[in-house]
Structure formats: structure tokens, C-alpha cells
Amino acid sequence: MNIVEVNPSGGCHVVILGAGASIAASIRDPEEHGLLLPSMNNLPDVVGLHGCLSHFPQELIQDNFEATYSNIVEHDPDNPYLKVMNDLIYSYFASMLLPLKPTIYDYLIMSLRDKDVIATFNWDPFLYQAWWRNALHGSSPQLLFLHGNVAVGYNKEHNMIGRAGMYTKDGNIYFEPTKLLYPVKHKNYASDSYIKKAWDILQDRLDKSTCNTHNVTIFGYSAPVSDVEAMGLMKKAWGSVDDRNLEQFEIIDVRSEEEVTYSWRDFIHTHHYDYRTSFFESSLALYPRRTDEAFFCHYLPITPEEAFVESNPVPQDFQTFEEMWDWYQPLIDRE
């Protein structure tokens, strides 16, 4: 039988995004204005930070910008050029726009349901833009911005999230832009109420004692050893790999399989992982909106039909949103 025929049910699917996800999306469908999506290795070149960086000792400058920023904060936390760099970075990312056609981010949003979570480390607005323009077509996953985001604002008094720099319709609630956290060595997520809330939710979804999560997909996040606090929080929630023998860990990355599995060795139970180099090879694209159901059919089948359930790969060549929404509609109707 086809996965479309399986009754929707299932537990949470957690997707964690790094810079590689946005870079992959931009390679396939370039940013609307032709802006380049920087990584932490080329961010000073793309955004134009070398003028600011020239005011700091050369020994503080590293290949990775987050490491550089951490060194600078430790060396001279009150230096005015820190604010200049923050403003330049914020302005650059805030000006980015998804092209006006279905992108990988649109496929990602449409391939999950409201029981699922996408947590991102990225500052670019692509994920939020995709969520916004697909919000009326089926239930959408919850979004968590683990390092802040240029598109997202937060009102601490009312504990509400909205578009950065905007007010609610009645004009009474303002959404303060979220802080972009750079110093990876000593990130204190608890110091920012929005960031802390995002991490609390992610940890809850990764903890098997509090959430029924069987699928985790890591898309373009390298698990850098420099980001000690982030990896520590996720590992604490995930627990021992010996206790995660019913979970499937999926990694979408262009690095070698050996490299990525070593990076995530503390999360993978023996052979319980899938390695992909493209989003369209992943469970999200092969079993859209039914990833958890597909997991149970393949790994804990009740009938022979379930054991040999066929995939329902999403077409890769949608030219309009209407085409894409029409394709997903039968899945949504069954939900």
C-alpha cells in the first residue's frame, strides 16, 4: 500500500537546521535580490566586516566568525565596533527574501504538521517567510529560533511572538527584535527569555520521558565543537544512546558519512541512522506529512502491507505555490 493510505497519527518529528540548510536552499533557488547566504567562514567577506575587524588584534581573528566574535567579547566587551558589526549583520540578513516560487524551505514547512517542531540556529528569515506564506494550507510545525532571528520579535510582558519590529493589529503589543547570540564559547541562553523558552521546548521534544519523538532530522548543522552549550543542552535532553533504540536519527549533509556520524555519535544508537546528501532524499520529502507513520510501518510493522509500504515522494519541479498546495491537499484532507 501507499503511505497516503495510512491513517495519520504519530509522534513528534524534530528537525534541527544549521547554515547548511539555508545554503542548500539558496543554491537551488537563489535569494530574490541575488544576495549571497554567508556561512560563519565567509561572513566577514559577504557582509563587509573587515573594516571593523581591523581594529582588533590579529591573534583574535579566526576562520570561523563566531569564534572570532567570542574572542573579541572576551578581549574587549565594551568595544563600540561590536555594536557596529551587530548592526551590519542584522541589516544584511533582514534584507534577505525567499524567491517567489516554492523552495526547499516551503517543501520543509509543508512536509510537517503541527505536532512537529523545526528548531533553527540560523539568523536568516527564510524559515519564517516560508512558514508565513504557507500557513493557510494545512497545519504547520512549531518554529524555534535557538540563536534569535532577524524575522522574529518577542514581547516579554505578554509572552508573545510576532514579526520583528511590528505591532499586533490593535497596536497595543510591540514585538521587540530578538537578540542574535554570537559568542559561542560562553552563551548564556537563560539570560534571554525568548531564547530560553525556545531551548526549553526543544529539550522537552528531545526528552523521551516528556515527548513521543521517534524521528530527528539534522539538516546542515555540523555540531561544532565550539558550540559547547548548545550541544550540551541537546545531549542532556536526548540522554544515553543506549536508551534510544527505537529512534531514527537522520542527517542531511554534504560532508562524508564518516564525518557526520562521528559528529553525532552521542545521539546515534548503533545503526539507527540515515545519511542523506539532499533534502529530496530524506524522509521529509519521501513521506511528507507522514514521517512518523512511515517509521512505524518500516520498523514496527503489524501487517505485511505496512512492512512494504510505498513512499510518496514530493515532486521537485513545482513552478507555482498553487501546484504545490494542490499536491499536498489530499494528505491534508485525510488529516
Side-chain angles (χ1 to χ4, degrees), residues 34-173:
L35 294 176
L36 296 177
L37 199 290
S39 68
M40 285 301 143
N41 291 334
N42 68 359
L43 189 143
D45 298 321
V46 175
V47 179
L49 302 180
H50 288 295
C52 294
L53 293 174
S54 66
H55 293 274
F56 299 100
Q58 186 60 37
E59 61 268 20
L60 301 179
I61 311 302
Q62 304 292 317
D63 292 336
N64 182 284
F65 178 72
E66 282 195 314
T68 297
Y69 196 92
S70 292
N71 292 341
I72 291 172
V73 169
E74 287 184 353
H75 174 75
D76 188 3
D78 298 319
N79 193 297
Y81 282 102
L82 286 172
K83 184 180 186 308
V84 175
M85 286 195 292
N86 271 274
D87 291 344
L88 287 171
I89 292 169
Y90 200 101
S91 296
Y92 185 88
F93 279 96
S95 66
M96 304 190 85
L97 187 67
L98 282 176
L100 301 179
K101 59 171 291 189
T103 68
I104 285 178
Y105 272 114
D106 297 288
Y107 284 102
L108 175 60
I109 292 294
M110 291 298 298
S111 294
L112 296 167
R113 287 142 57 190
D114 55 4
K115 65 184 181 59
D116 305 313
V117 165
I118 304 175
T120 179
F121 287 94
N122 299 335
W123 301 326
D124 65 71
F126 295 157
L127 179 64
Y128 187 83
Q129 289 172 0
W131 178 88
W132 184 263
R133 65 191 188 182
N134 292 288
L136 299 180
H137 300 273
S139 65
S140 299
Q142 182 177 12
L143 307 185
L144 303 175
F145 298 94
L146 304 176
H147 282 184
N149 189 272
V150 295
V152 178
Y154 179 63
N155 185 285
K156 184 177 180 180
E157 180 183 356
H158 295 274
N159 192 27
M160 290 177 61
I161 299 167
R163 298 180 70 177
M166 303 292 284
Y167 287 86
T168 52
K169 289 183 178 180
D170 58 15
N172 293 328
I173 298 176

Side-chain angles (χ1 to χ4, degrees), residues 247-259:
E247 286 77 19
Q248 194 71 7
F249 213 78
E250 180 177 55
I251 306 169
I252 309 171
D253 205 303
V254 296
R255 296 177 297 158
S256 70
E257 182 174 355
E258 292 76 14
E259 186 177 355

Side-chain angles (χ1 to χ4, degrees), residues 251-269:
I251 306 169
I252 309 171
D253 205 303
V254 296
R255 296 177 297 158
S256 70
E257 182 174 355
E258 292 76 14
E259 186 177 355
V260 296
T261 53
Y262 182 79
S263 297
W264 293 99
R265 63 194 181 279
D266 291 333
F267 295 81
I268 298 172
H269 180 88

